[in-house]
Amino acid sequence: MIDKKHLEYITSIVGEENVKSDKAHLIAFCYDATRSRFEPDAVVFPRHEQDVSDILKYCNENKVVIVPRGAGSGFTGGALPSNGGIILSLERHMNKILEIDMQNMVGVVQPGVINMQFQKTVEEVGLFYPPDPASEEYSTLGGNVSENAGGMRAAKYGITKDYVMALRAVLPNGDIIVAGKKTIKDVAGYNVAGILIASEGTLAVITEITLKLIPKPKFKKTYMGVFPSVNSAMTAVFKSLASGANPVAMEFLDSLVIKALKQKFPQVSLPENAGGILIGDVDASSLAEIEDQLNILKESFKENGSIDFIVAQDEEEAKKLWFARRNASPATMVFGTKKLNEDISVPRSKLPEALDEIYKIGDKYGFQVPCFGHAGDGNIHVNVMVKDKTNEKEMADGHKAIEEIFQLVVDMGGTLSGEHGIGISKAPFMNIAFTEAEMNLFRNIKKAFDPNNILNPFKMGL
């Protein structure tokens, strides 16, 4: 338990109403989407950057652990107080859009701003912020930066790191730093902003984010490609992109996910003979360009074995096509009581081979492994379905299967995580993806920023 004097001092900084140590708050801030639970010693709501600085300076001097937190929607435990300490919650007060700079096409926000709130705000003035994680309705931009969140539009527009121009942040000793500029070009000094992106709150607390914006596309259409197998669908992904297709999104569902959707949502109309489906959008500044993109996709899909190509004629039809993809994750629970889900990523040309091998690993251990995800950028959501989560052997075999899948994708030039991060869930597997020299480099970077190891310690295997 944290010493009472520490909470009294922090209370003197932020006020009694912004320090909570009652059981209700400790429970509310003890979990994330992993469902793992670690109660903090207290929850503190800083009002502004100077509060963050004063709190970190004091905690660093007194070796008090601080865990920064946004909405707590992460899938790997990156914002969990796994070693106790104080949760520093940035969602209550530090949640303002500070500026929409139309002339330079940037937005300046505090870390607690919700992703979708920001998207809607900039679209009202004709601009566009593309990164759209599935949690966009509730995840914060600070959390998106800390995890380098992706989303369905990454195939065309990239991910969070591609839009971060500058950050303000507080180091563990309380120093306030600025990393990056509003300028498009900036090669003065080390790329500190790049180091802070995806650092999962282990190096500094982000207090302000400057994000690049682009013009909002005028037109958009939704398509669906139907294939006899997931292998033919995956082949169509990289070959259509190499042929000049540039879709906003290219999402896939395999035959197991299609089966689960039909069982879970009988109202969903999916082709009976589909072994794999690709769903996505194309956007452009003219309808002619939209039609050109759809034609490229249709022809390339056909060359790679598609049995149907559907284009939504209006928004209502588009929603029906997207319903299947957006409900893929909950539908897979028809196959078991426990889902071991991972977000591995491979080079797009390796998608057919990767899925073939993933299914073989599932067969080896007797698991069904429905897969779906962001085929356009090589990011696969793999779901090892355990029928009985109370069966110790089944759970142990499930984790063995996951470890083999990680080794497989790394051997293919892929990565442990495309968008969810490492946190505590994937920390035991870091040795698969990184050499000891590389891990030592990570540890040295952590030590340079946080020599007393007070800021979100022991995440990412550090």
Side-chain angles (χ1 to χ4, degrees), residues 51-277:
D51 278 355
V52 176
S53 175
D54 292 342
I55 291 167
L56 287 184
K57 181 179 180 181
Y58 177 83
C59 289
N60 189 56
E61 291 171 350
N62 291 276
K63 310 296 191 295
V64 176
V65 168
I66 290 286
V67 179
R69 181 182 172 102
S73 59
F75 275 95
T76 58
L80 294 182
S82 54
N83 293 86
I86 293 172
I87 287 284
L88 194 71
S89 177
L90 303 164
E91 62 179 340
R92 177 179 289 185
H93 301 300
M94 299 181 67
N95 58 5
K96 301 173 185 64
I97 297 174
L98 302 176
E99 180 186 13
I100 304 296
D101 182 342
M102 298 291 292
Q103 293 179 318
N104 291 301
M105 296 178 68
V106 300
V108 182
V109 301
Q110 292 181 317
V113 173
I114 301 299
N115 180 298
M116 183 171 281
Q117 175 197 355
F118 183 62
Q119 287 189 45
K120 289 180 177 179
T121 299
V122 301
E123 287 181 22
E124 286 173 2
V125 295
L127 297 177
F128 186 39
Y129 178 67
D132 64 332
S135 58
E136 63 184 355
E137 294 183 8
Y138 45 86
S139 67
T140 63
L141 290 169
N144 292 171
V145 172
S146 295
E147 297 291 344
N148 196 15
M152 296 188 188
R153 293 195 284 247
K156 179 175 183 177
Y157 290 111
I159 57 179
T160 300
K161 70 178 177 64
D162 300 309
Y163 294 86
V164 176
M165 299 184 72
L167 299 171
R168 287 181 67 92
V170 182
L171 299 178
N173 67 359
D175 287 350
I176 298 170
I177 64 167
V178 177
K181 306 289 181 185
K182 272 188 179 182
T183 58
I184 294 172
K185 294 179 178 179
D186 175 18
V187 292
Y190 290 122
N191 184 8
V192 176
I195 293 174
L196 295 181
I197 296 166
S199 65
E200 302 191 17
T202 63
L203 303 180
V205 176
I206 295 167
T207 54
E208 185 179 291
I209 310 163
T210 300
L211 295 165
K212 178 178 72 174
L213 304 173
I214 62 176
K216 182 182 177 182
K218 292 181 179 180
F219 302 100
K220 181 176 72 173
K221 281 198 174 184
T222 298
Y223 67 89
M224 175 187 285
V226 183
F227 295 82
S229 68
V230 72
N231 189 284
S232 59
M234 295 300 96
T235 301
V237 170
F238 69 88
K239 289 195 173 180
S240 63
L241 295 172
S243 297
N246 191 20
V248 177
M250 188 179 281
E251 301 291 299
F252 85 96
L253 309 174
D254 73 2
S255 59
L256 285 171
V257 175
I258 295 167
K259 178 182 177 182
L261 282 162
K262 289 181 177 180
Q263 183 175 333
K264 183 80 172 177
F265 305 103
Q267 74 274 25
V268 174
S269 178
L270 291 173
E272 290 296 327
N273 53 350
I277 288 175

